[in-house]
Every structure is written in C-alpha cells, then in structure tokens.
C-alpha cells in the first residue's frame, strides 16, 4: 500500500512538500543568494543526482524558479513568492537553534533590525495582543478544511548524513533541519503538540509501519525532544513527553502551519485546524517580531552580519 490517510493538517501538507533535508538545505542556500547548481552541490556535499531530483521537485511545487541566459544555458535558481514567505520559518528556526545548540556558524552571525538599529532575537507574537505565542497558551479546533488527506506513503529514506557533516557555512539551522528534514519525524513532533504521548496514539494518527514510528520516537528521545516517562508499572508502559527543548520547537511549527494554510490548500477549503491564542481568545495570526522594538520583522528590514560584515 503506497497511500496513507491522515487528518488534514497544514503542517503535514507543508512537510509533504518541503519536509526533506535536501529541500530545506537548498531553500536555505538560495535564501543566501547561492543560485547555481555547482555552488549548491559544493556547499551541501550532495550528489548530482539527488540535487537534480530535488531542484526539479522544488520547481514542480513552485518553490523555485529556474532562469537561463539568452542562449538557454547557465541556469540559475531563484526564490518564488512561496519560498520568500518561508522567511518567518527561517527566523524561527534560527531562534530554536540559538536556544539549544552551540552552532559556530550561527554564533558568529548577528541579526540587526534596520528600522530600530538593534541587534535582536526573533520572537513569534500574537497578531492581536502582541504577546509571545508559546505552546500551552493556544487552543486547537477543527477548521473549515478539517477533512482527511490521502498522502503518498512512499518516502525518501531518512538521510544518513548528519547535519553536522554539511560543509556549508550558511547552514544556520542545521540541527533543526536534521529533525524536520524527515517528514515522519516532524509529523510525530507536530502530533505531540496536540497532547499525544503514547505509541498507540501516534500510530492511530500516523499509521506508518511500526518500525518506522519506533525509529523516529527513539531518535526524538536521543535528540532530547522527548523524554520517556513510565505511566504504568505492570506491564511496564512508557509514554513520550515533550521536553522544554521540544516544546520550544512550537513557534517554528506554528509558522509552518500558517505557511501551509496559505500555500498548501489545493482545494481551497480553508484551514484544517484553527489556532486560538488563549491569552486574548482571538485567532493567533502570529507574526515574527523584533525582541527589542516589538515590531513585525520584514525580510528587507533585517540585516545578517558575520563578524561585523553584512552577509
Ligand atoms: Zn493574543
Ligand atoms: Zn526592532
């Protein structure tokens, strides 16, 4: 059987499109202005075949635009409106990476908000009350698009190349990509935000082969996203609870959910899941904001500097 039916979710739809390590790394390189095949291949340490395959896929889903010179040669790859809109996710990825990892590439980079002149940390804030949005202060409800999705079960194998082995010095959120670059791993994390903790519950919502699910849960425990807690002694039963590190991934997932609502709704039925901010009781409509002045961050208003030089 090559199809999988799950509850409709903008996070899953987004991950089915870009929840792949190489796709996420390509998008990151293009965000930094790396536009040619050879530059990407060198930066990512990826084989020619895999890179061609992912570039084609990203064009098929309108996440990259290919241009050539007048003679139809020297192709370059460029962001589309859809990928430019992943900017919030990129900033939330940087935030999580900063909070939980020593990442030399990232530690040397400073983010400066041009309009207030300050070095800042990106924060996800509610569009209505401006409070920071964190897990535990949101409520999920079914939305107008709460159907079920038939998904391709066939999945590229979880890449065996660890994020730390990616040569690119522009890989600012390599540890995040290491986890969410496998869509089943990311699906499991997303389910845990809905309060799911037990193997059987995960399996009901995500009916992949049990060995695949067990492998992803084990990885998430090893990576400190989940902790195993005994809930029954005889027979021994354990559940998977989010750690602080795991809970702190929520802003990235929420930014991805909003992106999926906007760009991955093929039938135009509307959001499958509505997210309400319990602090103000309004739909979240989260915005990535500057920690210093509190204003919504726009891509052209943010400067990345490496050792004092603009990247
Ligand atoms: Zn609010
Ligand atoms: Zn600012």
């Amino acid at each position: 059987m090559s199809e999988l039916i799950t509850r409709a979710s903008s996070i899953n739809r987004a991950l089915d499109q870009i929840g792949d390590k190489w796709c996420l790394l390509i998008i990151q390189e293009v965000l930094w202005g790396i536009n040619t095949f050879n530059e990407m291949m060198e930066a990512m340490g990826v084989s020619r075949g895999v890179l061609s395959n992912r570039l084609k896929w990203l064009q098929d889903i309108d996440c990259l635009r290919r241009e050539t010179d007048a003679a139809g040669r020297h192709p370059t790859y460029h962001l589309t409106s859809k990928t430019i809109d992943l900017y919030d996710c990129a900033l939330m990825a940087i935030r999580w990476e900063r909070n939980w990892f020593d990442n030399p590439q990232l530690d040397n980079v400073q983010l400066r908000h041009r309009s207030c002149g300050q070095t800042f940390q990106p924060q996800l804030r509610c569009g209505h009350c401006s409070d920071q949005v964190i897990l535990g202060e949101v409520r999920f409800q079914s939305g107008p698009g709460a159907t079920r999705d038939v998904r391709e079960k066939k999945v590229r194998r979880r890449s065996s190349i660890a994020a730390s082995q990616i040569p690119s010095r522009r890989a600012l959120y390599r540890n995040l990509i290491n986890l969410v670059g496998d869509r089943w791993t990311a699906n499991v994390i997303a389910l845990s935000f809905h309060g799911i903790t037990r193997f059987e519950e995960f399996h009901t919502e995500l009916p992949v082969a049990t060995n695949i699910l067990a492998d992803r849960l084990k990885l998430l425990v090893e990576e400190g996203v989940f902790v195993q807690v005994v809930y029954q002694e005889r027979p021994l039963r354990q559940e998977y609870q989010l750690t602080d590190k795991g809970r702190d991934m929520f802003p990235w997932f929420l930014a991805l959910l909003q992106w999926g609502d906007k760009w991955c709704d093929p039938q135009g039925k509307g959001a499958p899941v509505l997210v309400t901010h319990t602090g103000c009781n309004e739909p979240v409509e989260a915005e990535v904001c500057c920690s210093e002045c509190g204003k919504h961050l726009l891509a052209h208003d943010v400067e990345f500097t490496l050792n004092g030089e603009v990247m």
Side-chain angles (χ1 to χ4, degrees), residues 293-307:
C293 71
K295 296 231 169 69
H296 184 197
L297 294 165
L298 302 169
H300 62 79
D301 212 15
V302 174
E303 207 170 78
F304 285 72
T305 53
L306 178 63
N307 304 324

Side-chain angles (χ1 to χ4, degrees), residues 126 129 277 280:
C126 170
C129 71
H277 188 218
C280 65

Side-chain angles (χ1 to χ4, degrees), residues 21 161-163 173-182 219 223:
K21 184 179 293 181
I161 298 176
Y173 40 93
R174 56 180 67 220
N175 291 289
L176 181 105
I177 289 180
N178 204 32
L179 291 176
V180 302
D182 168 69
L219 173 76
E223 295 290 333

Side-chain angles (χ1 to χ4, degrees), residues 28-29 32 43 103-106 109 166-172 174 306 311:
Q28 189 172 207
E29 291 296 327
W32 287 116
N103 175 333
Q105 279 88 4
L106 182 54
V109 171
I166 303 298
S168 175
R169 59 186 185 88
R170 290 169 295 269
L172 298 186
R174 56 180 67 220
L306 178 63
M311 286 174 83

Side-chain angles (χ1 to χ4, degrees), residues 15-27 30 37 40 44 46-65 77 83 154-161 181-182:
L15 290 165
D16 286 352
Q17 294 200 3
I18 58 162
D20 165 76
K21 184 179 293 181
W22 298 118
C23 288
L24 290 168
L25 285 166
I26 290 169
I27 291 169
V30 181
F37 190 94
M40 287 185 212
M44 292 159 50
V46 59
S47 74
R48 192 166 281 277
V50 169
L51 182 56
S52 301
N53 169 287
R54 301 306 197 272
L55 285 172
K56 180 175 183 308
W57 168 253
L58 288 169
Q59 289 171 76
D60 289 347
I61 59 169
D62 199 26
C63 277
L64 282 185
R65 187 169 47 78
Y77 299 89
T83 27
K154 189 172 156 293
V155 63
R156 304 170 182 116
R157 283 183 45 171
R158 183 151 71 78
S159 168
S160 56
I161 298 176
D182 168 69

Side-chain angles (χ1 to χ4, degrees), residues 129-147:
C129 71
S130 299
D131 277 357
Q132 276 203 71
V133 183
I134 56 170
L135 187 64
E137 293 179 7
V138 292
R139 189 170 63 238
F140 301 104
Q141 285 162 283
S142 296
T147 51

